[in-house]
Structures are given as structure tokens and as C-alpha cells.
């Protein structure tokens, strides 16, 4: 494979989805100017190109700009349950060296992960487990962790029987666009190409 006349040993496609799962729109002035939204590749000189896969045309003016090993993400707004899907082509061995960075004022920290299918039960579990401070010493931490699971399980199981189907129904009524499917069934994620 060649890029701009240069023979490449490795070509990797990393798919990035940026999704507003909140209830309020994210506006361009909600992005910290000192820490703008961007995709960062840790390996120097490895970013080849990037393109917006979704939305192709939209009233919210989604734009990406390549600068060094970063791709800056800009938009006028992203309404609730709206987002962007971006294909990033690079020469790093895998997508593990690719991350998303930036600060949304008043928003949660940006995280790398999958789109959550069980969106109703996950916050409940995080709340029930997250409020208990566990000690730093590993053996005690492990024992208290198991005890916490045994205490929380009787509460979570009945909730799960209600919240998991509710989450599935919510997904049916509010589907995520197919462009946010980050895995292709017949393609490998990355690796050498000939």
C-alpha cells in the first residue's frame, strides 16, 4: 500500500465514535478552548488521514482538521443522542495508540469504550458499587470486593429484570445510527497490509 508516494508496511484503520449520550446538546462554546476535542495518536508521524463517516451532511457543521498527530473535532452543536463517526488511517500497529482528548465544560470525562447496550442497568451498578470506598491493601480490597458483590447482588438482580428489558425497548425506539457500529464483521481491526 502506498500513501502520497510512500510505501507503507502497516496501514491501520481506527474507527472513532463521538456520541452525546446526555440530555442536553453540546455546543461549540461548551468545549474548553485550552483543551479542544481531538483524536490523538501516540506514535509520532503515524497519522495519514481522517474522514468523517457520519454525518456526511448535517446542519451542525461537523468538521475535522489534521495537525501533526492530532485530528481536531469541531461542530456547532451535537443534540442529545447525536454524534460523529470518524475513520482515522495511520501506521501504528493497532488502534490502542489512538485516544480521544479534550474537555467538555460541565460534562463527564471522555472515555474510550463501546456504546452501552444496557444503558439503564450500568449506572445503577456503578452507583451501588461506586459509593463504597475500598481499602488500598490488595488482600483486604479483594475480600471486601467479594463481600460487596454479595451484598449488592440481591438488590441488582431484581432491578436487572426490569431495567435490561427497558433498555432494550429504549434502544428499539431510539436506535443508534448503523454508522456507529465500530466493528466490521469481515475485516480485521489492523495489521500489515500488502
Amino acid at each position: 500500500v502506498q500513501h502520497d508516494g510512500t510505501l507503507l508496511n502497516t496501514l491501520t484503520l481506527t474507527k472513532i465514535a463521538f456520541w452525546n449520550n446526555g440530555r442536553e446538546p453540546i455546543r461549540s462554546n461548551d468545549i474548553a478552548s485550552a483543551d479542544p476535542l481531538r483524536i490523538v495518536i501516540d506514535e509520532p508521524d503515524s497519522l495519514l488521514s481522517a474522514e468523517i463517516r457520519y454525518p456526511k451532511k448535517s446542519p451542525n457543521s461537523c468538521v475535522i482538521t489534521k495537525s501533526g498527530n492530532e485530528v481536531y473535532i469541531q461542530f456547532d452543536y451535537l443534540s442529545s443522542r447525536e454524534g460523529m463517526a470518524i475513520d482515522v488511517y495511520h501506521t501504528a500497529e493497532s488502534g490502542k495508540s489512538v485516544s480521544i482528548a479534550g474537555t467538555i465544560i460541565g460534562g463527564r470525562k471522555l472515555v474510550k469504550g463501546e456504546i452501552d447496550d444496557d444503558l439503564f442497568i450500568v449506572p445503577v451498578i456503578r452507583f451501588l458499587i461506586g459509593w463504597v470506598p475500598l481499602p488500598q491493601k490488595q488482600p483486604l480490597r479483594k475480600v471486601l470486593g467479594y463481600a460487596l458483590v454479595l451484598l449488592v447482588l440481591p438488590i441488582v438482580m431484581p432491578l436487572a429484570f426490569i431495567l435490561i428489558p427497558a433498555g432494550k425497548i429504549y434502544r428499539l425506539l431510539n436506535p443508534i445510527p448503523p454508522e456507529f457500529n465500530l466493528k466490521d464483521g469481515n475485516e480485521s481491526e489492523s495489521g500489515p497490509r500488502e
Side-chain angles (χ1 to χ4, degrees):
V1 175
Q2 287 191 354
H3 177 74
D4 289 339
T6 304
L7 185 62
L8 302 175
N9 292 328
T10 303
L11 174 61
T12 304
L13 166 61
T14 301
K15 298 176 181 184
I16 302 286
F18 182 79
W19 183 258
N20 179 4
N21 207 31
R23 294 182 182 181
E24 298 294 323
I26 301 172
R27 295 177 176 82
S28 59
N29 60 351
D30 293 333
I31 310 301
S33 58
D35 191 20
L37 292 179
R38 63 202 180 280
I39 298 166
V40 180
I41 301 179
D42 294 335
E43 295 185 23
D45 302 321
S46 63
L47 176 60
L48 300 174
S49 66
E51 61 186 38
I52 296 174
R53 185 162 42 115
Y54 179 86
K56 290 291 186 188
K57 294 180 182 176
S58 71
N60 53 11
S61 303
C62 297
V63 176
I64 56 174
T65 309
K66 179 186 167 211
S67 177
N69 265 6
E70 297 182 331
V71 177
Y72 289 86
I73 302 168
Q74 297 173 316
F75 49 82
D76 286 342
Y77 66 92
L78 288 178
S79 293
S80 176
R81 301 198 45 79
E82 254 188 5
M84 295 176 68
I86 302 167
D87 289 340
V88 180
Y89 297 90
H90 55 92
T91 59
E93 289 295 322
S94 75
K96 292 179 182 175
S97 63
V98 179
S99 60
I100 190 161
T103 300
I104 300 171
I105 300 165
R108 290 190 223 156
K109 185 178 189 270
L110 299 174
V111 294
K112 192 174 188 177
E114 297 294 324
I115 294 176
D116 207 351
D117 280 338
D118 299 321
L119 69 150
F120 287 105
I121 192 67
V122 171
V124 172
I125 293 171
R126 284 187 188 140
F127 171 77
L128 290 172
I129 293 176
W131 61 269
V132 177
L134 292 176
Q136 295 301 315
K137 294 185 178 181
Q138 199 62 14
L140 189 56
R141 184 181 181 91
K142 195 173 187 179
V143 170
L144 285 177
Y146 287 131
L148 181 62
V149 167
L150 291 174
L151 290 172
V152 170
L153 206 55
I155 298 169
V156 171
M157 288 307 290
L159 286 174
F161 286 114
I162 297 167
L163 295 177
I164 288 175
K168 299 295 182 189
I169 292 169
Y170 181 81
R171 274 287 185 248
L172 288 172
L173 298 175
N174 300 289
I176 293 174
E179 292 83 2
F180 283 83
N181 179 7
L182 299 180
K183 293 184 180 175
D184 294 330
N186 57 357
E187 294 180 16
S188 62
E189 183 178 324
S190 66
R193 302 284 187 257
E194 292 184 22

